[in-house]
Every structure is written in C-alpha cells, then in structure tokens.
Amino acid sequence: MKEPKISRTVLLRLIKALMEEEELSTVAEIASADPNLAAKLLQFANSAYAGLKRRISSIKDAIAFIGLKKLKEIAVTLLATSLLTEKDPTKLKELLRTAYIMKMAAKRQVPSLAEEAFMVGILYPVYRETGQELLNMLKEACVSEEVIEGLTNPHSPLGILLKFALAFNPYCRKIIEGEEKEFPLLVGGFKKEFLVKVCFDADIEAEKVVQLL
C-alpha cells in the first residue's frame, strides 16, 4: 500500500510560515490544509516516542506539543523525502542522523546556525539530485541564505560542518553498534566524549522522526 502523498505546496507554505515565525494559529491553519500532513503530525504527537499520556486530537494542540522548532525539522524532512528518489527507511535514518550530527556540532561551534545546520544536513542529498529546483523551492519558502550557502559552498561555515558530518556518520554507526573503538583523524576539533554522546543522541532523534515517514 502506497503512503499517502503530502502536498508539496502546503509543505512549502508551512516552512515559510515557520521561517517567518508566524503565530501558532496560522501555522496550524496551514498544516490543516492537507489532511495527510495533519494526520502525520497527530501521529507524531501521539507516538510512544513523544511520551504524552493523553491523546491529542487537535492539530493546533499537536503543533503546540511538538513545538515550532521541531515542526520545522519535520516539515523540512517531509519535503526532503518527497523529493528523494531513494526512500528506504534505513537510508533515511542515516540521512537524519547526519542532519542531527550537524545540528549538535553546530550548537557547539556556531550556536546561532543550529537549526540551519539540520536543514543543510537533511537537504544535501536532495540538492545533489535536483540542484537548482531545490534552491528555487527554498527561496520560495524564505529559507535563509546560510542554508543556501551551506548546500552550495563547501567553504561556508555550514558547508564545512556538512563535510565533517558526512565523514563522521559512518563511524557513528559503528560506535552505536559497538564495533568502533578508534576515532578518525577528522573529528572537527571535538572531544571524544562529546562525539560519542552526539552519536547516540543523533541516533535517538533520527529514530523518532523516521517513524513518521
């Protein structure tokens, strides 16, 4: 059975509203415009990972519970997966882990760009497949220039973090599985203890979101 499609137009409107920090009521109204998107958000809010004891039935309550920052991550992830050719859950989790590694590393190095770092990490494979088409969508959704730069310029702050995350993620997987004891030389100047924590935390966050896809 094929997964119900979510309107890309609605996703872009939602991302734009979140980028422009619109009120909760406006965001909820946009999300409600697509029944499949609304169902996904309710599913996430009521999932075991969310840990809520009471059931949420209102999309506005679901968004309030999820939080606007987390909703932005979910919306951008849904946009990315709608554009990707490869939709295997294992590979999507790998992609999400890369994005969360970027976000957590950015919180340490460039805290003001942590949200943008996640977006670059999740959208990079899409950019490789679609190029200018994705950039046009991001501009339509008022996504920041830092994200555009991170995708297109490997020497930008987020471009450098992306290179680190892509190189480190394979080691992360081995660390999580208990197979890797030695760290690569390319560790971005981070301490080993921090990197181990990033691996496990990024994997947990990736697992939460991949259940929604």
Side-chain angles (χ1 to χ4, degrees):
M1 186 175 172
K2 289 184 74 173
E3 190 74 14
K5 284 189 176 182
I6 294 171
S7 164
R8 198 170 293 159
T9 301
V10 173
L11 277 175
L12 290 171
R13 284 180 58 212
L14 178 60
I15 293 167
K16 182 178 181 181
L18 292 164
M19 294 302 300
E20 294 181 340
E21 300 183 344
E22 294 281 3
E23 296 291 330
L24 173 61
S25 57
T26 302
V27 172
E29 183 180 348
I30 294 169
S32 299
D34 186 307
N36 295 326
L37 174 59
K40 286 280 189 188
L41 297 179
L42 286 168
Q43 174 193 333
F44 185 78
N46 288 303
S47 68
Y49 284 104
L52 195 65
K53 293 182 180 179
R54 65 179 180 85
R55 185 159 187 82
I56 291 177
S57 56
S58 154
I59 189 64
K60 187 175 180 179
D61 288 347
I63 290 172
F65 174 70
I66 292 169
L68 296 181
K69 288 185 178 180
K70 188 68 176 179
L71 178 60
K72 190 189 298 181
E73 289 181 7
I74 292 170
V76 174
T77 300
L78 289 172
L79 176 65
T81 55
S82 77
L83 292 162
L84 280 171
T85 304
E86 178 59 70
K87 301 181 190 295
D88 176 70
T90 302
K91 292 185 178 179
L92 291 177
K93 184 178 175 182
E94 288 283 322
L95 172 57
L96 279 159
R97 189 163 63 227
T98 297
Y100 280 113
I101 289 170
M102 275 199 72
K103 178 181 177 181
M104 293 169 189
K107 280 185 176 180
R108 182 64 64 96
Q109 285 195 336
V110 276
S112 62
L113 295 179
E115 290 181 37
E116 289 81 358
F118 175 88
M119 295 176 75
V120 171
I122 202 75
L123 290 169
Y124 179 66
V126 183
Y127 174 65
R128 290 185 65 185
E129 287 187 16
T130 65
Q132 191 61 43
E133 180 186 357
L134 174 66
L135 299 183
N136 292 341
M137 289 183 194
L138 297 182
K139 288 173 183 176
E140 179 187 336
C142 296
V143 170
S144 70
E145 281 300 318
E146 286 83 1
V147 173
I148 306 294
E149 278 283 299
L151 291 169
T152 59
N153 181 3
H155 304 295
S156 66
L158 293 182
I160 292 167
L161 267 182
L162 175 63
K163 182 180 178 181
F164 158 73
L166 290 172
F168 186 62
N169 191 25
Y171 288 90
C172 241
R173 183 176 64 251
K174 291 181 180 179
I175 289 165
I176 291 162
E177 294 169 355
E179 297 176 4
E180 184 65 45
K181 305 300 179 186
E182 299 298 324
F183 272 60
L185 292 175
L186 178 64
V187 291
F190 299 110
K191 291 184 178 179
K192 180 177 179 179
E193 293 78 11
F194 172 74
L195 290 172
V196 171
K197 184 175 187 306
V198 163
C199 284
F200 284 97
D201 288 353
D203 195 68
I204 289 168
E205 290 301 314
E207 183 64 29
K208 287 180 184 179
V209 177
V210 84
Q211 298 296 317
L212 181 69
L213 305 177

